Amino acid sequence: MSADDRTPQRGSDDRRGSDDRRDAKGRERGGARARGEGHRGSLAPSERRKGTDPARLVAFDVLRQVADSDAYANLVLPPMLRSRSISGRDAAFATELAYGTLRLRGRYDAVIAECVDRPLDKIDAPVLDVLRLGAHQLLGMRVPSHAAVSETVGLARERVGAGSAQFVNAVLRKISRTELEEWLETVEAAQTDEIARMSVVDSHPQWITRALRDSLVGSGRPVDELGSLLEADNAAPRVTLVARPGLVTQEELGEQVESRPGRLTPTAVVLDGSDPGAVPAVRAGLAGVQDEGSQLVTLAFTQAPVEGADARWLDMCAGPGGKAALLAAIAGTRGARVVANEVQPHRADLVDRALVAVPADSVERVQVWDGRDIGEQEPGAYDRVLVDAPCTGLGALRRRPESRWRRSPADVKVLAALQRELLTSALHAVRDGGVVGYVTCSPHLAETRAVVSDVLAALPEGSVEMLDARALVTEIAGTDVPLAERLDVQLWPHLHGTDAMHLTLLRRTGL
């Protein structure tokens, strides 16, 4: 019998003596309780608790910071767990609850919409976040239904008030009566076309689903991989470390933590757990957290052949410093120096911290300049220039799940204009015979191939040539790694287990 069915029954005679008001152990009950008038609403006792456990509170607070402060969950959650002394299984539960809810928000919103009598934008935002957290526990985690409902109602009481807790209870009970597969059939049937159906089931905005479909086709992949790509975006990725060459080897790093070697690069170590801060080499700056796809495109850039000297490298968009540290470590083994440029001072500070362990003579300086001006300020001054351009981040949705709800098509237009300016500046900052690597963590065609095509079209014919990035990546990762028959490279979560990194390599020939 559910809590909603536990309606007290009055006895046939309310005029009971004191003996009738004693329980089986002889304890006297209050008159109201003896008459069945002590019931306090439809919530079961566990659901009337004033609060919930610390892990659920953390997950809720992360969702509110993401919504209210435009924060990123992966930056907010770890310090929050530390400050509240939450670790082990509780920390893992809070992490999955927060990240999973953010990833699958679109799916859960569609389910919630089937269970309420008002538009979702008419529900207070904190209450809606509570409902999403409850829905994820019911439909996306191995949490018993009674615990998911009661604990989420307790969360509602503590964070959004008793009145809202009654509403949360009613909605979650409706959700709990139907299995996930049936819910997916219901919300899918309400959509009008295939893109809309895939978007709601796999929790992506429709414009992103369309863009990913176009990117697959434009990169030489079959369109029927779209479903696998969307699913991969919703899978929690393993934490990957980079063993910075000359500072620590992949084998030495692997001995410090339960892990396995990466499958694409000689520098990657994939953790079995999720606490890189406990790894001695990471604390010392000999290693860092870096997606293996990011490592792979950086290594390929450093292997691209330049004509003549190879001594001065520029990381044009260096913040927060992962690629800069890998570049500087490699430069240290080859007698080269790196200039790390970042337009935002606080991100330049992060670059400084990332470079703490690399040889001092492999870093010329960390500077705060606008990368768009470097080509004019320092024409032909570098042998290599890496442009890890600001982008929509659509290639890292599994790591930054809130990005899918934060970005819009308008962002693509703005960022593509910036990307063209940065790439143009880089081609002027590199010398003739030098190499420019154009990298984005987005597969969107407007941020990748279109940017390169537009920039090259605006330059004198024959002044820049495209190098075979695919051959370099294959040399590093192996011939069994699936890559399209193109000169540029597009990595994919569902194929390579990495973020969807793009790499184009260009050599200046006579600009």
Side-chain angles (χ1 to χ4, degrees):
M1 183 177 294
S2 70
D4 295 327
D5 295 327
R6 294 174 188 162
T7 305
Q9 302 297 315
R10 295 174 64 93
S12 59
D13 185 356
D14 289 336
R15 294 166 294 184
R16 298 175 180 172
S18 60
D19 288 344
D20 293 332
R21 290 164 53 186
R22 295 183 182 277
D23 64 17
K25 294 185 178 181
R27 295 175 297 203
E28 184 170 293
R29 297 175 293 175
R33 288 190 64 196
R35 294 191 300 271
E37 296 171 352
H39 185 70
R40 294 181 288 175
S42 63
L43 297 180
S46 64
E47 293 162 352
R48 293 198 299 265
R49 61 187 294 182
K50 293 182 178 179
T52 188
D53 60 275
R56 288 177 171 87
L57 290 174
V58 163
F60 174 80
D61 291 344
V62 167
L63 262 61
R64 294 315 308 149
Q65 285 203 33
V66 167
D68 293 340
S69 304
D70 216 26
Y72 285 105
N74 67 327
L75 300 180
V76 170
L77 180 60
M80 193 179 293
L81 292 172
R82 288 194 297 269
S83 67
R84 301 186 191 184
S85 301
I86 298 173
S87 60
R89 293 179 63 184
D90 288 341
F93 181 88
T95 300
E96 167 54 27
L97 182 54
Y99 287 4
T101 301
L102 287 168
R103 288 188 186 98
L104 296 173
R105 193 184 92 177
R107 174 188 294 179
Y108 297 142
D109 281 0
V111 172
I112 293 166
E114 295 285 334
C115 299
V116 298
D117 59 359
R118 70 194 80 167
L120 295 191
D121 60 7
K122 299 299 182 183
I123 300 174
D124 287 346
V127 176
L128 185 55
D129 275 342
V130 171
L131 289 172
R132 290 164 174 160
L133 289 166
H136 186 52
Q137 293 171 71
L138 288 168
L139 303 177
M141 298 178 72
R142 295 178 181 177
V143 179
S145 293
H146 66 87
V149 173
S150 64
E151 292 292 345
T152 306
V153 170
L155 170 63
R157 282 182 163 270
E158 182 159 348
R159 285 293 195 257
V160 297
S164 295
Q166 295 278 359
F167 172 67
V168 168
N169 176 66
V171 175
L172 293 184
R173 285 192 175 280
K174 288 182 182 179
I175 293 175
S176 70
R177 294 184 187 120
T178 302
E179 295 295 327
L180 173 62
E181 290 73 17
E182 189 175 340
W183 273 124
L184 294 182
E185 291 175 3
T186 298
V187 299
E188 192 175 18
Q191 308 307 312
T192 57
D193 59 58
E194 184 64 18
I195 288 294
R197 286 190 287 272
M198 297 181 77
S199 296
V200 72
V201 168
D202 287 308
S203 195
H204 285 65
Q206 290 188 37
W207 76 270
I208 291 181
T209 303
R210 290 192 188 93
L212 293 177
R213 177 196 60 190
D214 294 345
S215 297
L216 281 169
V217 174
S219 300
R221 303 303 312 176
V223 69
D224 59 11
E225 289 184 4
L226 179 58
S228 297
L229 173 56
L230 298 178
E231 289 177 9
D233 275 350
N234 292 329
R238 292 284 190 181
V239 175
T240 303
L241 304 182
V242 55
R244 292 165 179 158
L247 305 182
V248 66
T249 67
Q250 183 187 53
E251 183 178 4
E252 290 168 343
L253 180 58
E255 291 173 352
Q256 297 183 15
V257 63
E258 292 187 11
S259 61
R260 59 176 172 80
R263 73 183 186 96
L264 301 177
T265 67
T267 53
V269 170
V270 182
L271 300 192
D272 292 334
S274 59
D275 185 12
V279 182
V282 174
R283 293 200 301 269
L286 309 177
V289 177
Q290 188 174 7
D291 176 74
E292 191 170 15
S294 175
Q295 297 179 45
L296 181 57
V297 297
T298 305
L299 293 174
F301 164 71
T302 64
Q303 294 301 315
V306 301
E307 297 173 352
D310 190 16
R312 195 164 187 249
W313 304 352
L314 171 67
D315 186 353
M316 181 174 279
C317 309
K323 291 184 181 67
L326 180 54
L327 285 175
I330 295 171
T333 68
R334 289 161 55 174
R337 295 174 299 153
V338 173
V339 174
N341 180 77
E342 173 54 47
V343 70
Q344 298 178 355
H346 75 278
R347 287 171 63 86
D349 290 339
L350 296 176
V351 176
D352 268 322
R353 294 177 207 167
L355 296 172
V356 64
V358 301
D361 57 0
S362 69
V363 179
E364 182 174 322
R365 65 179 182 269
V366 177
Q367 64 186 23
V368 180
W369 289 10
D370 188 327
R372 294 172 293 185
D373 299 331
I374 294 178
E376 182 178 344
Q377 294 171 331
E378 294 186 290
Y382 296 94
D383 304 310
R384 296 182 188 269
V385 179
L386 178 66
V387 185
D388 182 17
C391 66
T392 56
L394 300 187
L397 296 182
R398 60 195 189 131
R399 297 188 188 279
R400 290 194 165 176
E402 62 283 310
S403 291
R404 70 186 75 185
W405 314 117
R406 205 173 269 174
R407 291 298 189 184
S408 73
D411 294 325
V412 177
K413 183 177 181 179
V414 173
L415 286 165
L418 173 62
Q419 292 154 3
R420 288 191 291 270
E421 291 181 278
L422 289 168
L423 180 54
T424 300
S425 177
L427 288 167
H428 284 89
V430 77
R431 62 169 177 80
D432 287 348
V435 170
V436 170
Y438 178 71
V439 171
T440 66
C441 190
S442 169
H444 199 300
L445 293 176
E447 299 186 88
T448 55
R449 292 173 56 192
V451 167
V452 175
S453 297
D454 289 350
V455 169
L456 295 185
L459 296 175
E461 185 175 357
S463 62
V464 177
E465 66 175 332
M466 187 177 294
L467 302 180
D468 191 346
R470 181 179 183 273
L472 291 167
V473 167
T474 299
E475 184 178 333
I476 296 167
T479 56
D480 60 337
V481 176
L483 297 171
E485 295 286 345
R486 297 180 49 82
L487 293 179
D488 58 12
V489 167
Q490 181 62 59
L491 302 177
W492 298 101
H494 67 294
L495 288 177
H496 307 105
T498 69
D499 293 345
M501 304 296 300
H502 173 86
L503 172 66
T504 294
L505 293 172
L506 304 170
R507 181 191 287 127
R508 175 172 148 171
T509 55
L511 185 60

